[in-house]
Amino acid sequence: MTSKKGRVFSGARPTGRQHIGNYFGAIRNYVKLQDDYDCIYCIVDLHALTTLDTTRDLRQNTLEMAWDWLAAGMDPKRSIIFVQSMVRQVTELHTILSMVTPLGKLTDLPTFKEKVRENPKNINYGLVGYPVLMSADIALYRADVVPVGIDQAPHVEFARETVRSFNFRYNTNALIEPKEKFTEFPKILGIDGVNKMSKSLNNDIELAATAEETTARVMQMVTDPARQRRSDPGNPDICNVFSLHKMFTPPEKVAEINIECRRAGIGCVDCKRILAANMNAYFAPLREKRRVFENDPEGTWDMLRDGAARASLLAEETMVDVRAAVGLPALQKG
Ligand code: SF4
């Protein structure tokens, strides 16, 4: 990899087909970062194992996610795109980093307590070590930049502290302390108009949905609840349909809807139809591109394996230094 402004690492759990909240919250940013950084993007399937009841859909969900990433413009020629479990050194570094991480620090983390609340019947060892595996992901590829929203800053801070503990304990500079790059992640509400868009809440609109499915989802969207009849004036400021118009509809039309809604000059059905049409037009090229990848799952796996092979080279460079610093034997003679 040639270094541009630095090396970015970001990972996401294989949640299957991505929705428009994922697109505006992460994927679009991943695509842009490729212009200025050497980017390493990872589908973190090992992390997913901590909370999955069944792994039946894991491979398919990995593929579906990769298809959305690729169709959106994440480019395996410019970036390294791969699956976490394909680079085995990450589990080795995770084990080594776990030795410099106090257990109490892990069980005190608000994210751990939250996971315990969400999965009271499955509080497994992997869940406790989740942040250590996350630190291993970042440190293994010597990423210096991690794109995050403001609420995820503690994760990068944790990784930084873990790297610092390791380097201090073994008197080395083998690992690099990452820095966060704060990014605007607009919060996209789901079709219920209340909660953040999420697959598990079934309030999402998938990028890969057909035009008809998208329109049907948009027609279900909750609008200004005070607008009961067509003749009632509405308030676009509290309507999620209007928020989404700002992302998909030309500004002149948004301004017109803003006025017409307030004087009942446009009905919600028509307003939603316009949104659905614009959303479908916006995602049409992505959907077309996705179909090409969907028709070649083996080609997609090959691409992910190729990414993993490139990531493994970087990983092994780091692990040679890590093993030497710790005092573990070298795998290669010389
Ligand atoms: S007209 Fe549009 S912006 Fe106004 S309440 Fe209905 S859906 Fe929302």
Side-chain angles (χ1 to χ4, degrees), residues 221-225 227 232-243 245 257-258 260-262 264-272:
M221 284 181 73
V222 173
T223 63
D224 171 5
R227 196 171 185 203
D232 293 337
N235 179 1
D237 298 336
I238 56 162
C239 176
N240 191 30
V241 174
F242 188 69
S243 306
H245 266 301
I257 292 169
N258 193 12
E260 293 303 321
C261 171
R262 289 176 204 275
I266 182 171
C268 293
V269 171
D270 287 338
C271 185
K272 287 175 176 179

Side-chain angles (χ1 to χ4, degrees), residues 51 103-131 155 158:
T51 51
L103 182 60
K105 184 176 170 186
L106 291 167
T107 50
D108 275 352
L109 287 173
T111 42
F112 174 68
K113 290 181 178 157
E114 198 183 306
K115 289 268 190 263
V116 169
R117 265 197 305 277
E118 286 168 4
N119 307 277
K121 295 205 179 99
N122 185 16
I123 307 165
N124 56 69
Y125 171 74
L127 218 46
V128 184
Y130 200 103
H155 298 162
F158 186 94

